[in-house]
Amino acid sequence: NPKGNMEGVEKAEELISKQHRKEKKDLQAKIQSMKNAVPKNDKKRRKQLTEEIAKLEAELTQKHEEELKQLKDTVATDTEDVAANGLENLVLDSEEQKDVKQTRVSKAQKRRDKKAALEKERETRIAEAEIENLSGSRHLEQQKLSKMLAERQLQIKHIPSDGHCMYRAVEDQLQERGGSYSLEQLRGRTAQYMRSHIDDFLPFLTNPNTGDIYTPDEFENYCNDVANTAAWGGQLELRALTHILQMPIEVIQADSPVVVIGDEYEKAPITLIYMRHAYGLGEHYSSVEPLKEETNEEDS
């Protein structure tokens, strides 16, 4: 029944449009709450807030576009099914056709409702987390680091939190000096150096379950992880890198003095940022770059 199909499509479009309007309204309410939580005279927090709001709005727009596309795809599939099974549908009595249609709509609607509910819950968690971050330990740590770096005419250059952050930060600093070490080369050379200087590193590695110093096999597995996986790097790997690069590495932290590793080398150090609260997973390394002039921001 083409007329019935069209009515069903129009009803589905009306429902999804209504849902989208409600979600936009809910998001605007959350955004207003986020704005109210930040003083208008705090330029940095307002700037961060503007970025987070833009991110939330972009995610909602993308979600709505995907749902509309899914609806169109469902309609197209249903139309093809009707054409392919036209003869079969003719022999179904009217009651059977009604049952089939109701079942199909019900399952599709349940899937859409479930997806919408999950997305709404996710958006709520994101909004709440961002509000908390504006006054939480992550934000305070970033404020301290920004102030420390500004005194050097520097700012944080963010590095992805993917397990490779320390090596990526070193790679970024070397590229600024015209270096050509890749992430893979840095990991491979670090593992190679640690293997060839086992006595310098083995005493500092212990089995977390027993507390015993690593066995040679455990140490080899550790080095394999350094070379071939996204295992996080720390002070031991930085120590190896200073010898490989023949230059110091300074690490700036918010609540501790600057640490310089490899200060026996006379070259100017490369600079990393160590953050304890940057991500939910915990510790994170970033790079630095020259301080950029801040643009004036209109309060809204």
Side-chain angles (χ1 to χ4, degrees), residues 64-237:
H64 287 175
E65 289 174 354
E66 290 175 354
E67 288 178 349
L68 288 172
K69 182 178 182 299
Q70 183 181 2
L71 176 62
K72 291 178 181 178
D73 292 344
T74 301
V75 171
T77 302
D78 289 347
T79 303
E80 292 174 3
D81 289 345
V82 169
N85 300 301
L87 292 176
E88 181 181 350
N89 288 337
L90 288 175
V91 300
L92 291 172
D93 59 37
S94 59
E95 197 61 38
E96 288 175 331
Q97 290 185 33
K98 183 178 179 181
D99 290 343
V100 169
K101 183 178 178 181
Q102 286 180 340
T103 300
R104 180 183 298 161
V105 172
S106 176
K107 288 183 178 179
Q109 188 61 45
K110 284 181 179 178
R111 287 196 299 271
R112 286 194 293 271
D113 290 345
K114 183 178 180 180
K115 182 178 179 181
L118 290 173
E119 287 294 334
K120 185 175 181 180
E121 181 183 352
R122 176 174 170 270
E123 288 168 8
T124 300
R125 289 201 307 269
I126 290 173
E128 291 173 348
E130 293 308 330
I131 292 172
E132 181 180 350
N133 284 337
L134 289 171
S135 59
S137 54
R138 169 185 165 188
H139 179 68
L140 294 175
E141 178 181 50
Q142 189 158 339
Q143 276 190 321
K144 289 181 181 179
L145 287 170
S146 297
K147 183 177 179 181
M148 294 168 67
L149 291 174
E151 294 173 356
R152 300 185 178 201
Q153 293 299 302
L154 296 172
Q155 66 183 27
I156 298 171
K157 182 175 183 181
H158 290 289
I159 299 294
S161 178
D162 57 2
H164 301 295
C165 61
M166 189 198 77
Y167 300 96
R168 290 194 191 280
V170 171
E171 178 187 24
D172 178 75
Q173 286 285 292
L174 293 176
Q175 286 176 349
E176 291 297 318
R177 296 193 182 188
S180 59
Y181 275 108
S182 68
L183 168 68
E184 292 77 15
Q185 288 173 327
L186 288 172
R187 279 190 170 277
R189 291 287 300 276
T190 300
Q192 181 182 356
Y193 185 90
M194 293 178 75
R195 287 189 182 103
S196 60
H197 297 79
I198 185 171
D199 292 339
D200 294 336
F201 297 97
L202 187 59
F204 300 98
L205 293 168
T206 57
N207 186 306
N209 296 321
T210 65
D212 296 332
I213 293 177
Y214 270 4
T215 65
D217 286 343
E218 288 174 328
F219 181 76
E220 177 58 27
N221 289 336
Y222 183 92
C223 292
N224 283 335
D225 287 344
V226 169
N228 303 310
T229 74
W232 291 7
Q235 291 238 5
L236 291 181
E237 289 76 19

Side-chain angles (χ1 to χ4, degrees), residues 41-58:
N41 60 356
D42 192 332
K43 296 288 187 180
K44 290 186 178 180
R45 291 175 68 186
R46 296 292 292 187
K47 183 177 181 180
Q48 182 184 3
L49 176 63
T50 300
E51 293 173 355
E52 297 299 340
I53 288 173
K55 179 182 175 184
L56 291 174
E57 289 177 336

